[in-house]
């Protein structure tokens, strides 16, 4: 199914935001991000969406709401990592969010085909990738478990040779009071534009569950949280923020970090 469009009868395709807005699960798609646009295309193909009328100078390119009223899909012209205060910006535009999902690309020098999920935040002083130093956004462990598990199931069902894994917390935005996460395709243009990977990511996002789960915080390991991923898949628990060994000096006392 595709997005409703009837230019001769705009009242049928646009929902007026003058109605009292209700917080929704909000998917953010970035124009310059190829994987984000791939996921957006698949989302628009999978279910029906209604165009929303945005207020002037909202700062957003477009906004849609799913026909079932569960999701909003919002377009931005900037990259995701520099979206501090996005929750307030959404609320000011009449688009309050209950959960923010950044549909995005993952890049790695190893060029591994991957589907990843992670929280947002900067454990260290490094702000080259957005956010504020030593600041963490609110996580959503339930959503992370749900989306990553569904990515794994769908990738296996399709026979896709993609690694499905948690990443550690490593970039912005950090200044969000609404829970958020990244759902990503990695790690080169080949994968970013792969429609099958885009479909897996999109379907996993649309299947997101916020059912409560036991929650843990991860410490140690490398950039890909292998042990935490295994525990997420094999037990009932999920993880919020994960901190790799090379960031422990920023989140633990010196004597703890050296152990």
């Amino acid at each position: 199914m595709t997005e409703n469009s009837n230019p001769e009868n705009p009242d049928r395709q646009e929902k007026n935001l003058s109605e009292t807005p209700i917080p929704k699960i909000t998917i953010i798609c970035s124009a310059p991000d190829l994987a984000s646009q791939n996921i957006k295309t698949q989302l628009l193909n999978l279910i029906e969406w209604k165009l929303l009328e945005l207020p002037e100078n909202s700062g957003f390119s477009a906004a849609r709401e799913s026909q079932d009223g569960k999701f909003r899909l919002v377009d931005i012209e900037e990259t995701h990592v520099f979206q501090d205060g996005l929750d307030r910006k959404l609320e000011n535009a009449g688009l309050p969010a209950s959960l923010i999902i950044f549909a995005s690309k993952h890049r790695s020098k190893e060029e591994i085909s991957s589907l990843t999920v992670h929280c947002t935040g900067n454990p260290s002083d490094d702000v080259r990738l957005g956010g504020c130093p030593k600041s963490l956004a609110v996580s959503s462990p339930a959503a992370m478990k749900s989306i990553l598990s569904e990515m794994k199931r769908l990738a296996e069902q399709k026979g896709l040779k993609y690694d499905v894994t948690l990443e550690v917390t490593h970039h912005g935005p950090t200044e969000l009071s609404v829970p958020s996460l990244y759902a990503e395709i990695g790690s080169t243009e080949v994968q970013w534009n792969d429609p099958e990977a885009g479909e897996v990511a999109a379907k996993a996002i649309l299947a997101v569950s916020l059912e409560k789960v036991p929650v843990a915080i991860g410490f140690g390991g490398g950039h890909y949280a292998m042990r935490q991923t295994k525990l997420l898949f094999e037990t009932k628990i999920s993880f919020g923020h994960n901190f790799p060994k090379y960031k422990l000096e920023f989140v633990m006392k010196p004597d703890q970090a050296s152990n």
Side-chain angles (χ1 to χ4, degrees):
M1 291 183 286
T2 58
E3 175 188 356
N4 289 341
S5 59
N6 183 356
E8 295 182 359
N9 189 353
D11 291 337
R12 293 185 59 186
Q13 76 173 35
E14 294 187 353
K15 181 176 179 179
N16 196 317
L17 290 178
S18 62
E19 301 172 15
T20 303
I22 299 172
K24 309 277 186 183
I25 298 172
T26 301
I27 308 160
I28 304 296
C29 293
S30 166
D33 185 319
L34 295 178
S36 191
Q37 292 303 299
N38 178 10
I39 296 169
K40 173 187 167 183
T41 297
Q42 302 304 323
L43 288 167
L44 292 176
N45 288 335
L46 285 168
I47 62 174
E48 291 188 2
W49 301 83
K50 299 171 284 188
L51 281 172
L52 300 177
E53 182 182 350
L54 288 169
E56 190 175 355
N57 302 319
S58 69
F60 300 113
S61 305
R64 300 167 175 83
E65 186 173 302
S66 61
Q67 201 78 342
D68 63 6
K70 184 176 181 180
F71 297 94
R72 292 194 184 104
L73 178 61
V74 178
D75 295 342
I76 60 174
E77 294 300 315
E78 308 83 9
T79 56
H80 295 105
V81 296
F82 301 109
Q83 295 302 306
D84 286 310
L86 178 66
D87 51 340
R88 296 188 299 274
K89 185 177 174 183
L90 286 165
E91 188 166 359
N92 290 338
L95 304 167
S98 56
L99 170 70
I100 295 173
I101 301 174
F102 296 102
S104 182
K105 68 183 178 186
H106 166 66
R107 187 194 298 272
S108 78
K109 59 184 179 181
E110 291 83 9
E111 300 187 358
I112 297 169
S113 299
S114 59
L115 293 159
T116 71
V117 170
H118 68 85
C119 303
T120 78
N122 288 334
S124 70
D125 294 318
D126 189 352
V127 295
R128 289 174 295 175
L129 293 177
C132 293
K134 297 183 179 178
S135 181
L136 303 175
V138 182
S139 67
S140 181
M144 289 173 64
K145 183 179 182 73
S146 167
I147 291 175
L148 199 71
S149 297
E150 187 67 358
M151 281 178 166
K152 184 175 187 291
R153 187 187 74 80
L154 291 169
E156 290 176 349
Q157 186 181 79
K158 282 179 167 289
L160 294 184
K161 297 190 180 301
Y162 277 67
D163 289 350
V164 182
T165 182
L166 287 171
E167 287 184 85
V168 296
T169 302
H170 64 291
H171 63 62
T174 60
E175 307 314 294
L176 300 171
S177 58
V178 170
S180 64
L181 63 92
Y182 272 77
E184 302 181 332
I185 301 172
S187 53
T188 72
E189 284 194 26
V190 173
Q191 292 82 26
W192 300 338
N193 289 311
D194 180 356
E196 290 199 292
E199 183 181 14
V200 166
K203 284 184 173 180
I205 289 170
L206 293 176
V208 64
S209 169
L210 301 179
E211 184 177 349
K212 289 186 177 180
V213 294
V215 176
I217 301 173
F219 297 96
H223 181 82
Y224 300 99
M226 300 296 191
R227 185 165 181 267
Q228 293 93 314
T229 300
K230 188 172 188 292
L231 288 167
L232 181 148
F233 287 147
E234 295 180 357
T235 72
K236 294 181 179 180
I237 72 168
S238 186
F239 286 84
H241 289 282
N242 289 285
F243 305 104
K245 186 174 182 179
Y246 56 87
K247 295 288 187 183
L248 293 185
E249 63 181 296
F250 300 104
V251 295
M252 302 177 73
K253 295 179 180 178
D255 58 333
Q256 294 174 315
S258 61
N259 291 335

